Amino acid sequence: MKMKDIIALARAGYKMKDIQALEEKEALEEEEEKKQEEEQEEAEEKPEEKEEPESPSDEITEMKKQLDDFIKEKDDLKKQLEDAQKALKEKDHKSEENKETLDDVIRDFLKD
């Protein structure tokens, strides 16, 4: 805690015991944070050590396999899209209600 902070607390009515207690609490919190950071660093370092045996050629092989899988999936989706488009083109979009032609409409209009 800085001297400015201590003076500000004293002006606010804190006693020396209270200020010391706050300093101790702050020191404990800093120690806990350091411990947590060290534990996180240790946890992060351990998995990296386990992954080292994998060689770059293994990674390249795995990436090639993934690329082949993606290409195959793309081709399958492309084929499905073409089939769906073909089915839509072949489907009869005219319903029973829409079979009435313009000539039929004019005849009906003239009859009235």
Side-chain angles (χ1 to χ4, degrees):
M1 194 178 291
K2 296 181 181 179
M3 188 57 108
K4 291 180 182 180
D5 296 334
I6 295 172
I7 294 171
L9 290 172
R11 285 184 182 165
Y14 284 86
K15 296 182 181 176
M16 192 60 178
K17 290 179 184 179
D18 297 334
I19 295 172
Q20 289 174 348
L22 288 172
E23 287 178 338
E24 291 173 5
K25 183 180 176 185
E26 188 176 276
L28 289 174
E29 289 176 352
E30 287 177 6
E31 288 179 22
E32 288 178 15
E33 287 178 11
K34 288 180 183 178
K35 287 180 184 177
Q36 289 177 352
E37 289 175 4
E38 290 174 0
E39 290 174 0
Q40 288 178 351
E41 289 175 1
E42 290 175 5
E44 290 174 358
E45 290 175 4
K46 288 180 182 178
E48 290 176 6
E49 294 171 358
K50 293 178 182 177
E51 294 178 6
E52 285 180 20
E54 189 174 322
S55 66
S57 63
D58 292 340
E59 290 179 22
I60 292 172
T61 306
E62 185 177 328
M63 289 180 156
K64 285 182 179 179
K65 182 181 178 218
Q66 287 178 345
L67 180 62
D68 291 339
D69 292 343
F70 287 137
I71 291 172
K72 182 180 178 187
E73 184 178 355
K74 180 191 76 137
D75 292 340
D76 290 343
L77 291 173
K78 202 176 205 181
K79 186 174 186 261
Q80 288 176 3
L81 177 64
E82 289 173 359
D83 292 343
Q85 288 175 338
K86 185 178 178 182
L88 284 173
K89 287 179 182 178
E90 292 174 355
K91 184 177 179 183
D92 184 23
H93 292 289
K94 296 180 182 178
S95 65
E96 297 288 329
E97 299 170 3
N98 293 335
K99 289 190 176 185
E100 187 176 26
T101 63
L102 182 61
D103 291 337
D104 296 334
V105 173
I106 293 173
R107 271 190 228 120
D108 290 341
F109 181 73
L110 293 176
K111 284 183 184 177
D112 292 334

